[in-house]
Amino acid sequence: MENKASTILCLALLFIVFSSSASAFDITKLLEKQSEFSNFNTYLKETKLGEQINSRSTITVLVVGNGAISSLAGKSQDVVKKVLSAHVILDYYDEQKLTVLAKSSKVSTLTTMFQSSGQAQNQQGFINAGIINEGELAFGSAAKGSKLNAKLVKSIVSQPFNISILQVSELIDIPDIAASSPAGSPKSSPSSSKAPSSSSDNKAPSDSPKSPKSSKSKAPTPSDETTSSSPPVPEEAGSSTAPAPAPSAASRVEMAVGAGVMIGLASLLVA
């Protein structure tokens, strides 16, 4: 009887462990605890980018405060999603790991979620991380001519090796990222009720007329793998694209194990 009770307890504990690992994190819930990033969080919900982030098993998100994200007010959801996805790195990098990486090489190139979307062009889907000034860590677009304009401010959340949320001083400047925005895309306006710079919000929609023209000229690229032929990407950055298919496979394994545990538990109870 004691052996049966011990077995049931072990199976129950295993089920709890695997159930919790199936949803390792929720980016929007993590940011809800930080009012400073409420606008960033609202954009994640509106564009459904938060759901895509949660589907990953390993991720790093570069967030900006409400004051630094006002430039996105009035932009289409398509543009907002592109910009924010370029701030989502497809690997785990906390402050310590990034510092070591930056010191080991002058500039490290990291792969973002925008690259995996298939819409990135001319290195738009990659960002560089490096040391500027007196040891400050900063990020910038890997596109030609771009600078490391977004400085690392602090670490917000660190859950090795699932998710790392880092605050940066401003949005990374991605050249021509709005050029391929489709016409008629709905506008995002999470900051309409909070952003203090309402005058800038009224000017923001002026970018939308460019959308129809650029969407016609855009030739769909079956794959943005051509970017891999650009300047060599460090091993850490290159390997970061690998986790893309992992979440779904991991979820299937977890579900299978969970089901097996439940079946074993049920058989013991019946016996």
Side-chain angles (χ1 to χ4, degrees), residues 45-241:
K45 294 175 183 177
E46 281 192 349
T47 60
K48 307 298 183 183
L49 184 61
E51 296 177 6
Q52 294 180 28
I53 292 174
N54 292 339
S55 71
R56 299 277 177 165
S57 59
T58 303
I59 210 82
T60 299
V61 184
L62 305 179
V63 302
V64 296
N66 293 338
I69 204 171
S70 57
S71 60
L72 292 183
K75 301 291 185 182
S76 70
Q77 286 190 11
D78 179 75
V79 170
V80 171
K81 187 172 185 178
K82 287 178 179 179
V83 172
L84 296 191
S85 63
H87 289 70
V88 181
I89 304 170
L90 300 183
D91 202 347
Y92 177 85
Y93 290 97
D94 53 23
E95 190 171 357
Q96 181 180 4
K97 183 178 178 181
L98 279 170
T99 301
V100 172
L101 182 65
K103 287 181 178 179
S104 64
S105 58
K106 189 174 181 180
V107 175
S108 298
T109 304
L110 312 175
T111 309
T112 72
M113 187 171 282
F114 184 42
Q115 175 66 18
S116 67
S117 71
Q119 297 178 301
Q121 301 176 4
N122 303 320
Q123 292 289 85
Q124 289 177 329
F126 300 93
I127 60 173
N128 289 332
I131 301 295
I132 62 173
N133 301 331
E134 298 181 1
E136 288 184 301
L137 183 62
F139 302 88
S141 173
K144 186 177 180 180
S146 299
K147 298 180 179 180
L148 301 177
N149 68 294
K151 298 178 182 179
L152 175 65
V153 177
K154 61 183 178 181
S155 174
I156 306 301
V157 174
S158 179
Q159 296 180 3
F161 291 93
N162 296 127
I163 184 169
S164 173
I165 303 178
L166 303 171
Q167 180 183 3
V168 291
S169 59
E170 59 185 291
L171 290 171
I172 295 172
D173 184 16
I174 313 292
D176 303 319
I177 196 168
S180 58
S181 176
S185 239
K187 297 289 189 292
S188 290
S189 56
S191 55
S192 59
S193 60
K194 296 183 180 180
S197 54
S198 57
S199 58
S200 62
D201 293 354
N202 293 332
K203 295 179 182 180
S206 60
D207 294 334
S208 57
K210 298 179 184 179
S211 301
K213 180 179 178 181
S214 54
S215 62
K216 290 181 180 179
S217 60
K218 182 195 173 205
T221 54
S223 169
D224 282 293
E225 294 299 327
T226 52
T227 55
S228 61
S229 61
S230 51
V233 178
E235 289 184 10
E236 291 240 16
S239 62
S240 60
T241 56

Side-chain angles (χ1 to χ4, degrees), residues 1-9 268-271:
M1 190 67 180
E2 290 182 0
N3 290 336
K4 181 182 288 187
S6 298
T7 304
I8 292 175
L9 179 59
L268 284 173
L269 290 174
V270 172

